[in-house]
Amino acid sequence: MDDQKETIMQTFSPQVVIERLQNIVGGSHVLTDDQSTRQYRQGRRFGEGKVLAVVVPGTLLEQWQVLQAAIEADCIVIMQAANTGLTGGSTPYGDDYDRPVLVMSTRRLKGIQVIHDGKQVICLPGATLDNLEQILKGYDREPHSVIGSSCIGASVLGGVCNNSGGALVRRGPAYTELALYAQVNAAGQLELVNHLGVNLGSTPEEILTRLEKQKYQAVDILDDNEKQASDHRYAHDVTQVDEDTPARFNADPSRLFEASGSAGKVCVFAVRLDTYEKVESNVFYIGTNDADDLTAIRRYLLTSLPSLPIAGEYIHRGAYLIGEKYGKDTFLFIEKFGTANVPKAFAMKDKVDGFLERFKIKGLTDHILQAITFFLPSHLPKRMTEYRDRYEHHLVLRVENNSKAQTEQFLKEYFAVHPSGHYFVCSEEEGRKAFLHRFAIAGAAIRYRDTHRSEVEDIVALDIALRRNDREWVEQLPAEMEKKIIHKLYYGHFFCHVFHQDYILKKGHDPLEMEHQMWKLLDARRAEYPAEHNVGHLYLAKPALANFYQKLDPTNSFNVGIGHTSKLKYWGKAKS
């Protein structure tokens, strides 16, 4: 392995490659030292590795030229948008690559083009969900996701490439069959594939320049009824509550198509997506001490309302409490400064952390933020706090106005004979804060770990898809595993039975060993995992997914090693 790596490294000069990249994008946009590359080469929660350079192109043509230079120099290319993933899927991992690693950040390529009177959009690589949501407000429409990922600055393309999303019940995972992307064929040649459904010319230079400058007319936009810009069948699939399979999961072969689910195994320049009409809605807050209550509610609401529920987010009391304390600063920051500024805050914190770690000071910013929020008044509504104390299981439910009366009537009659729980109709402020609290919980385990390093070994974080007919959705762990855990955080997208499960481990216990034990339990339950965060470098890619990656990238030039696949060129096997 080392001999092979050394041979390849001798075929080019790293300095020559760096100089060529600098000539393409400018010296300030080619980062090489550890401090400046830190936020690009380590994941939000998992994964880290070395890189030859981080390149940040400013135009689509520069992106193409950087890609050409990288492939000619026999570099591995890792495409990165917002780097908000949780499984290390857009960062290097380890130091056992057989070629130099180049990270291409697309954060400067933020273009969003509205077409068909707002019914569709074309998004460039750096477009964020938050920005798309703001643009579509003028058309009274919404993007695929408007909660969750949009709160932490996630990119539109990242969602598509990882089949992410699903918090909104009617829309399912991000998906399109209309994309413009580059791939390296089996002969090692770089090709640009225009399946965007827009006539843009014939050469890469012409196509990319015309697209970025929006130099096309309405007649150039082709509408092929056989090519979808969203997942049209998901709304049906999620209602099939007696099916013995999950509604959605990352490795579902039926939802893998070119850019969709590609996980960086191709270089995507643009995707074309459907948008959604805004609807007036109401939020219900439900609490219970009997999980069967939520099962009954889920099955009824998915099959009996005039329109499908918009969202249904589950929170276990344990997750509620950790999120209330350790997600408070995230909640308050979004309340005051909005979601658009969250990525800037993360980047600033990362720079400070990186500087302090040079002096072996780790976690200081987390302790300071936690101390500040400790003295601030409660940020959650009084009725939510009362339900926190009374009930173990919580469901935040959003329904369309035409379903409000029937939903309330059902809940009223149901809890009249099931006194284990109750509900209330949220005010606008209560509803907004309930959903924001749910998504602030997602980062709370990380903050807990970073402020309790003397007690915590690490976090095991899983996102799983249970079968649609599974009534035993509350996890029961063996006592031997329970004693290794300080806190368990259960939360998720309840109607599609996708759950996020974070386990904060006691010091001295191996997270990887614990994770593998968890996988065995999930296999016994016939769950699929990961459900929406994709495999990254954390999970094993199942055969259908691994085969999809290999078909997209036969030379193994892009984002190599994800899903525990080969890191070697042409998918070779490492020497034992």
Side-chain angles (χ1 to χ4, degrees), residues 388-405:
R388 175 204 67 192
D389 296 335
R390 289 170 59 187
Y391 301 117
E392 179 181 3
H393 305 286
H394 300 242
L395 180 66
V396 189
L397 168 68
R398 186 183 295 277
V399 298
E400 194 171 343
N401 276 0
N402 66 359
S403 295
K404 179 188 178 185

Side-chain angles (χ1 to χ4, degrees), residues 40 57 128 217 448 457-458 498 520 549 569:
Y40 301 93
T128 65
Q217 307 298 320
Y448 186 98
E457 185 66 35
D458 209 340
V498 166
K520 290 179 181 179
Y549 292 158
K569 195 169 183 179

Side-chain angles (χ1 to χ4, degrees), residues 41 45 58 83 112 122 127 161 179 184 189 196 209 228 238 311 315 334 345 387 415 419 451 457 470 521 532 557 574:
R41 56 182 173 78
R45 180 184 283 172
N83 193 18
I112 295 173
I122 294 174
C161 292
V184 178
Q189 299 169 327
L196 199 60
T209 301
Q228 300 177 1
V238 76
I315 309 171
I334 294 171
Y387 268 45
F415 286 120
T451 54
E457 185 66 35
D470 194 344
L521 296 178
E532 62 181 7
S557 298

